[in-house]
Amino acid sequence: MSKPVTIRVDDQLHALLKERAEAEGTTVTALIARAAHDAVRDPRLEGAAEVFRAFVNDNADAFDAAFPEDAPSRLDAPGRAA
């Protein structure tokens, strides 16, 4: 169940929020809700996706060599068929 929250912003900020929401194909309410969610997100997760991507990128060749029958076709790998 959602709870309503009322905030007051000046006209300039509201115009910026509306412009951003329109550019993203969303609503001002959804934009603010996402910002609020991000504000309370667990800080331990900050950068986790980047760390994971770097790990996969750094170790993909070793995994492929160890398990060649499980190696996926990667479009970004030189010499691989897509």
Side-chain angles (χ1 to χ4, degrees), residues 56-57 59-65 71-82:
V56 169
N57 189 49
N59 295 287
D61 291 335
F63 183 88
D64 292 350
S73 296
R74 293 196 323 253
L75 295 175
D76 62 338
R80 291 237 174 153

Side-chain angles (χ1 to χ4, degrees), residues 46-57:
E46 292 299 318
E50 288 180 37
V51 170
F52 178 74
R53 284 187 198 101
F55 175 82
V56 169
N57 189 49

Side-chain angles (χ1 to χ4, degrees), residues 26-61:
T26 190
T27 64
V28 170
T29 300
L31 188 68
I32 292 172
R34 186 174 68 218
H37 185 267
D38 289 348
V40 297
R41 183 176 46 215
D42 189 335
R44 294 174 296 176
L45 298 178
E46 292 299 318
E50 288 180 37
V51 170
F52 178 74
R53 284 187 198 101
F55 175 82
V56 169
N57 189 49
D58 293 346
N59 295 287
D61 291 335

Side-chain angles (χ1 to χ4, degrees), residues 63-72:
F63 183 88
D64 292 350
F67 305 99
E69 62 280 352
D70 294 326

Side-chain angles (χ1 to χ4, degrees), residues 12-38:
Q12 181 181 10
L13 179 55
H14 184 264
L16 292 170
L17 287 166
K18 188 173 179 180
E19 182 180 312
R20 176 75 175 266
E22 288 173 1
E24 294 185 14
T26 190
T27 64
V28 170
T29 300
L31 188 68
I32 292 172
R34 186 174 68 218
H37 185 267
D38 289 348

